Amino acid sequence: MSPTANDLRHRLAREIALTGPMTVADYVTRCLHDPQGGYYATRPSIGATGDFITAPMISQMFGELIGLWAVELWERLGAPERVRLVEVGPGDGTLMADALRAARLAPEFLRAVDLILIEPSPPLREAQARMLADSDVHPRWVSSLDRVETDAPVILIANEVLDCLPARQFVKTEDGWAERCVGVTDDGALTFGLKTITGGFKRPAFEVEPGQTVEISEQQAVFGREVAALVKAASGAALLIDYGRSRPEAGDTLQALRRHQKVDPLATPGEADLTQWADFPSVLEAAVHAGADVTGTMGQGEFLGRLGVEARADRLKDGRPDAAPVIDRQLARLTADDQMGTLFKVCAIFSPHSLVVPGFED
């Protein structure tokens, strides 16, 4: 364990001992973004040799199709002379690099693009700058969605962002509802426990059995509202891709990943990536309440199929017959039902002006 992460664990334990149990959402936020010891703030490790891998890193096809999706959306917006291409949480920049390369088929689009990246992690900003150093469009970074100007249409991409926005956890017991929190034992170890709820908890509208956990993420709902406000003010659309639920349901989805293996979320704060499922129903409901239009959700496999992923795979195999087995495995990883095809879901939030978002045509 690194000294920085070890210090975070001790600081969290001291804080909890002094102030009381910490909500799961607050714990995850600290583990990810604490300036001195948080995972994303100090040591994000993405890729085959890191802690986890994302769809753009599996195959260039993913980013290329997202790039062509953006071009098609720009055309449906009337091919404006200026468009804000925004990516939230760009990882190491692979998705955007592939997207911009594919967009060379539409030089007018690239000339119109003002590329904006929203990334809180200093190490990842550096990785993105390196990845996009030779791209056709040079990025600029802003700190939040409300820093994106609304004087031109917006095309926003958020791949695996919602799962980084944590949720509080509530457990139905035989005696009523309690909140799952992080506490500390007498010997200073972090531990999960239940805290009685005294008020202010809105019970879920769906059936929950005793012992089941319900996750509620105000941060995800806020993200839905902020995206809706942006595309409503500027016009345009946002594409959200993540693993999560497409209907309200119970479930404890908190997980920690280190070197591609699930580990105890309390064992090494700041040393592992912590995530929870995207709650698409809550995000889309928040967007509608903020005045935007939304699509439903569909599986990532179906969405990429509608964008032509199989045809793209065939063209890649035509150019590299020796790589055909690898390309087939990549295609299956992205689209198969038993891999990312159905667990990962896609939806869009868009301005309420009868816009038809590519990939979501009836």
Side-chain angles (χ1 to χ4, degrees), residues 92-335:
D92 72 344
T94 295
L95 188 157
M96 187 54 65
D98 290 340
L100 292 175
R101 185 179 64 253
R104 289 173 179 168
L105 294 173
E108 300 85 356
F109 169 76
L110 291 176
R111 285 194 289 269
V113 162
D114 175 21
L115 178 58
I116 301 174
L117 305 181
I118 301 177
E119 176 57 67
S121 168
L124 287 179
R125 283 193 179 197
E126 293 176 4
Q128 293 153 18
R130 291 192 298 269
M131 182 67 71
L132 297 170
D134 297 324
S135 67
D136 297 285
V137 181
H138 296 296
R140 59 188 175 99
W141 285 264
V142 300
S143 57
S144 58
L145 283 170
D146 60 8
R147 305 290 293 180
V148 178
E149 301 90 340
T150 58
D151 58 347
V154 167
I155 299 173
L156 185 145
I157 300 161
N159 179 59
E160 293 198 45
V161 171
L162 292 172
D163 65 87
C164 297
L165 303 178
R168 295 171 68 178
Q169 293 188 326
F170 299 91
V171 179
K172 187 174 184 181
T173 72
E174 296 292 349
D175 300 321
W177 286 92
E179 182 166 9
R180 191 183 190 209
C181 293
V182 178
V184 62
T185 64
D186 291 340
D187 59 359
L190 298 176
T191 185
F192 285 117
L194 297 181
K195 181 180 179 180
T196 301
I197 297 173
T198 57
F201 171 62
K202 183 180 179 181
R203 289 164 173 76
F206 52 91
E207 187 66 28
V208 182
E209 299 295 331
Q212 289 187 313
T213 300
V214 172
E215 296 181 332
I216 299 176
S217 176
E218 178 59 24
Q219 290 190 42
Q220 292 188 21
V222 167
F223 185 78
R225 289 196 294 270
E226 290 181 344
V227 169
L230 176 60
V231 298
K232 182 182 177 184
S235 78
L239 186 69
L240 279 55
I241 308 171
D242 224 310
Y243 56 94
R245 56 179 62 90
S246 58
R247 65 178 185 276
E249 59 185 358
D252 172 8
T253 68
L254 176 65
Q255 72 171 8
L257 286 177
R258 190 175 183 189
R259 299 190 183 96
H260 301 274
Q261 300 295 320
K262 291 184 179 181
V263 297
D264 181 352
L266 302 181
T268 55
E271 288 283 312
D273 180 42
L274 271 62
T275 65
Q276 289 170 283
W277 275 18
D279 183 356
F280 285 104
S282 294
V283 172
L284 295 178
E285 180 181 15
V288 170
H289 287 168
D293 281 347
V294 301
T295 66
T297 58
M298 72 172 69
Q300 176 176 288
E302 179 182 356
F303 181 72
L304 293 177
R306 291 185 177 202
L307 297 187
V309 68
E310 292 185 357
R312 178 57 182 149
D314 288 340
R315 286 194 292 272
L316 288 175
K317 288 186 287 186
D318 288 342
R320 285 285 308 278
D322 59 311
V326 173
I327 295 168
D328 285 337
R329 286 196 296 271
Q330 293 171 340
L331 178 63
R333 180 83 179 272
L334 292 174
T335 64

Side-chain angles (χ1 to χ4, degrees), residues 8 12 25-35 37-44 52 120-121 161 163-166 219 255 269-276:
L8 176 60
L12 289 173
D26 287 344
Y27 173 76
V28 171
T29 297
R30 292 288 295 279
C31 288
L32 296 181
H33 301 296
D34 181 88
Y39 180 80
Y40 282 110
T42 61
R43 57 163 306 278
F52 64 96
S121 168
V161 171
D163 65 87
C164 297
L165 303 178
Q219 290 190 42
Q255 72 171 8
E271 288 283 312
D273 180 42
L274 271 62
T275 65
Q276 289 170 283

